[in-house]
């Protein structure tokens, strides 16, 4: 027989008993849960209180708010050759600068130079982002209080554009549309657009004025013109202040040797003639390849208007200062003097002191014979005139930087930098 009076040696575990579809749990367990919830609530309140006492909470990033007397400029492509020089000038002139760059053509080393020169809080920040990502671009605009945008970011080699046109239409035209949409959505009212003389193609008359018909003959020029058209169409129903600068062939570097041009090695064959000359002078390449000797010019080689990067940057700053609400300004930025490729090579030989071997080849697709500007309009309206007009001197300054930076900026690992 079973002993029904036997005492239990172990207590019965607490169990919830289902009654009518409801679970009635142990009151002790419920009280324990309520206690934990109260504790978490108290800790959360304490954390919020401490966070509000933090200086960072009460003083959000200076880049995220407008300040009287401070102009905050977004510089797209600010890690690149021209963009970094422009950022340096803006910082020297006490602008607040945000650089956005995906580093596909730019150099993180240039950013490091700028950050070291201007370490004070609220002077410069760098954001690694691709302008093709509209969500990322809108996030950047929502988190920062921009007063103006200088849009440099673009792939910019004529030869490469003929080989990979889709890259150019996407990178230049589509990305400009993304930037313009973000500006409109977030109320940024000033745009300085970096355009090019390539939008004119090969005009019948020289020099080129702003009224010269735009008939580009390569994808680079076509993509830039499409961007201009988008900006001008948008402006018809906008009060945005817009300046479009069509500039010519850029040379030179910072006279104090802080910044220079350091393109990717794989892009040397598409790059600027100055870079090609320096590579030949340093022995990186066996010599300089000049494409085209049968153009209808004074010596058979192409004629170009070479503008020093310091003058170009000055034009952008003057355009920013003179931008007017609801108005569009379009300007050529050049010296007004054309120099042939043969003349350029001779100046480069003297600047470097190197006996550069020159190989003459057939024409490159998409090139035009002669292009130089008439800078009258920008002189009269923006009070701008090129001052670095000694071709050999500009090349000497750039060469000095090249010799002291044989490996470019020695860009550190991207992974370790963010």
């Amino acid at each position: 027989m079973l002993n029904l009076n036997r005492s239990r040696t172990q207590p019965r575990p607490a169990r919830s008993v289902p009654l009518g579809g409801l679970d009635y749990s142990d009151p002790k367990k419920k009280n324990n849960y309520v206690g934990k919830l109260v504790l978490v609530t108290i800790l959360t309140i304490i954390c919020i209180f401490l966070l509000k006492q933090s200086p960072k909470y009460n003083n959000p990033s200076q880049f995220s708010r407008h300040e009287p007397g401070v102009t905050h400029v977004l510089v797209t492509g600010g890690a690149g050759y021209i963009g970094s020089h422009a950022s340096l000038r803006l910082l020297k002139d006490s602008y607040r600068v945000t650089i956005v760059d995906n580093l596909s053509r730019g150099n993180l080393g240039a950013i490091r130079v700028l950050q070291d020169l201007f370490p004070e809080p609220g002077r410069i920040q760098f954001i690694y982002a691709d302008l093709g990502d509209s969500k990322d671009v809108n996030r950047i605009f929502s988190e920062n209080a921009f007063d103006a945008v200088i849009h440099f970011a673009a792939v910019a080699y004529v030869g490469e554009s003929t080989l990979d046109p889709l890259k150019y239409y996407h990178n230049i035209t589509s990305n400009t549309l993304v930037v313009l949409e973000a500006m409109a959505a977030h109320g940024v009212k000033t745009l300085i657009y970096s355009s090019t003389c390539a939008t004119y193609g090969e005009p019948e008359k020289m020099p080129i004025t702003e009224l010269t018909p735009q008939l580009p003959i390569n994808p680079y020029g076509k993509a830039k013109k499409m961007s201009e058209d988008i900006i001008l169409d948008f402006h018809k129903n906008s009060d945005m202040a817009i300046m479009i600068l069509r500039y010519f062939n850029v040379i030179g570097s910072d006279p104090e040797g802080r910044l220079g041009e350091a393109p990717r090695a794989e892009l040397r064959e598409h790059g600027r003639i100055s870079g090609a000359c320096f590579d030949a002078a340093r022995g990186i390449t066996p010599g300089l390849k000049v494409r085209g000797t049968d153009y209808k010019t004074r010596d058979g080689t192409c004629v170009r208007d070479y503008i020093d990067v310091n003058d170009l940057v000055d034009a952008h700053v003057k355009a920013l200062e003179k931008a007017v609400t609801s108005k569009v300004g379009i300007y050529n930025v050049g010296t007004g003097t054309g120099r042939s490729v043969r003349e350029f090579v001779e100046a480069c030989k003297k600047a470097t002191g190197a006996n550069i071997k020159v190989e003459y080849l057939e024409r490159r697709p998409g090139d035009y014979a002669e292009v130089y500007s008439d800078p009258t309009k920008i002189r009269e309206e923006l009070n701008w005139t090129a001052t670095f007009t000694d071709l050999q001197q500009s090349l000497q300054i750039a060469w000095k930087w090249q010799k002291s930076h044989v490996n470019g900026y020695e860009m550190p690992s991207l992974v370790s930098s963010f």
Side-chain angles (χ1 to χ4, degrees):
M1 294 181 62
L2 296 176
N3 183 0
L4 300 178
N5 296 320
R6 186 174 62 184
S7 62
R8 296 182 179 272
T9 57
Q10 298 292 334
R12 185 189 297 262
R15 292 180 298 175
S16 60
V17 182
L19 294 173
L22 299 176
D23 285 347
Y24 290 84
S25 57
D26 187 340
K28 292 181 179 179
K29 211 168 185 181
K30 184 175 182 181
N31 290 337
N32 188 38
Y33 172 78
V34 172
K36 288 181 179 179
L37 183 61
V38 171
L39 179 60
V40 169
T41 303
I42 293 172
L43 290 174
T44 301
I45 293 171
I46 292 173
C47 287
I48 293 173
F49 175 78
L50 293 174
L51 179 62
K52 286 186 175 182
Q53 304 310 305
S54 165
K56 203 165 187 179
Y57 184 90
N58 292 318
N59 298 290
S61 167
Q62 290 169 282
F63 296 93
S64 67
R65 65 177 187 270
H66 295 284
E67 289 186 30
V70 178
T71 303
H72 184 184
V73 182
L74 167 61
V75 180
T76 70
Y81 169 45
I82 300 171
S84 62
H85 282 78
S87 297
L88 174 60
R89 170 62 186 275
L90 290 169
L91 289 162
K92 287 172 63 178
D93 288 359
S94 299
Y95 287 88
R96 176 172 291 159
V97 174
T98 291
I99 291 174
V100 172
D101 202 301
N102 67 1
L103 300 178
S104 63
R105 298 289 165 95
N107 291 281
L108 190 58
I111 301 296
R112 296 299 189 208
V113 169
L114 295 172
Q115 290 173 331
D116 289 344
L117 288 171
F118 301 92
E120 305 89 354
R123 297 306 315 282
I124 178 174
Q125 68 170 336
F126 170 62
I127 300 174
Y128 175 72
D130 193 313
L131 297 181
D133 187 334
S134 59
K135 290 183 179 178
D136 222 11
V137 171
N138 274 285
R139 177 186 59 78
I140 291 168
F141 272 80
S142 67
E143 293 176 355
N144 292 276
F146 299 128
D147 298 298
V149 175
I150 302 183
H151 183 32
F152 288 108
V155 286
Y157 296 133
V158 169
E160 184 188 34
S161 77
T162 63
L163 298 174
D164 194 355
L166 295 184
K167 173 189 284 188
Y168 275 67
Y169 293 121
H170 174 80
N171 180 274
I172 295 174
T173 310
S174 296
N175 288 5
T176 297
L177 179 58
V178 170
V179 171
L180 192 61
E181 287 175 333
M183 290 181 68
H186 296 276
V188 182
K189 296 296 186 179
T190 302
L191 171 64
I192 314 300
Y193 182 63
S194 168
S195 193
T196 171
C197 64
T199 63
Y200 294 114
E202 194 165 14
E204 295 180 1
K205 291 177 60 179
M206 287 291 138
I208 294 173
T209 73
E210 289 77 4
L211 297 178
T212 297
Q214 289 178 287
L215 301 169
I217 63 173
N218 54 60
Y220 171 56
K222 292 176 183 178
K224 282 288 188 179
K225 184 181 183 301
M226 286 181 186
S227 296
E228 286 191 20
D229 291 342
I230 291 170
I231 293 168
L232 295 175
D233 283 343
F234 166 77
H235 186 265
K236 292 174 183 177
N237 297 302
S238 167
D239 61 351
M240 191 177 289
I242 290 173
M243 294 290 208
I244 295 173
L245 302 185
R246 298 170 184 158
Y247 46 86
F248 290 67
N249 293 58
V250 189
I251 59 171
S253 65
D254 169 42
E256 295 184 42
R258 294 163 294 188
L259 298 170
E261 183 179 14
R264 299 279 187 271
E266 64 272 16
L267 296 171
R268 282 196 172 99
E269 64 177 298
H270 300 301
R272 305 177 202 278
I273 186 173
S274 56
C277 279
F278 295 149
D279 285 346
R282 289 166 54 188
I284 294 175
T285 58
L288 177 64
K289 296 179 180 180
V290 173
R291 298 183 180 274
T293 60
D294 59 347
Y295 289 98
K296 292 181 180 180
T297 59
R298 55 182 173 268
D299 62 20
T301 62
C302 294
V303 171
R304 297 289 182 267
D305 189 340
Y306 296 100
I307 177 77
D308 190 284
V309 68
N310 297 286
D311 281 332
L312 179 60
V313 163
D314 186 52
H316 281 79
V317 172
K318 282 186 167 60
L320 180 59
E321 293 171 348
K322 301 279 189 178
V324 177
T325 301
S326 301
K327 300 292 185 181
V328 175
I330 300 175
Y331 302 96
N332 290 334
V333 188
T335 66
T337 302
R339 303 289 187 86
S340 74
V341 171
R342 287 186 193 271
E343 291 171 332
F344 187 96
V345 172
E346 290 305 310
C348 192
K349 286 180 178 180
K350 292 176 181 177
T352 62
N355 185 21
I356 299 171
K357 180 183 177 182
V358 182
E359 181 181 3
Y360 294 96
L361 304 172
E362 294 181 355
R363 295 185 185 190
R364 181 177 63 178
D367 269 341
Y368 24 79
E370 189 174 30
V371 173
Y372 60 94
S373 72
D374 177 351
T376 301
K377 184 182 179 184
I378 192 170
R379 182 180 67 246
E380 293 179 347
E381 296 187 9
L382 300 188
N383 192 31
W384 177 91
T385 302
T387 57
F388 293 82
T389 55
D390 186 320
L391 180 59
Q392 184 176 324
Q393 185 178 39
S394 290
L395 291 172
Q396 283 174 334
I397 292 171
W399 174 240
K400 185 177 180 180
W401 188 88
Q402 293 287 328
K403 287 194 299 181
S404 62
H405 295 78
V406 291
N407 295 314
Y409 285 102
E410 296 282 0
M411 189 175 73
S413 169
L414 182 63
V415 175
S416 65
S417 302
F418 296 91

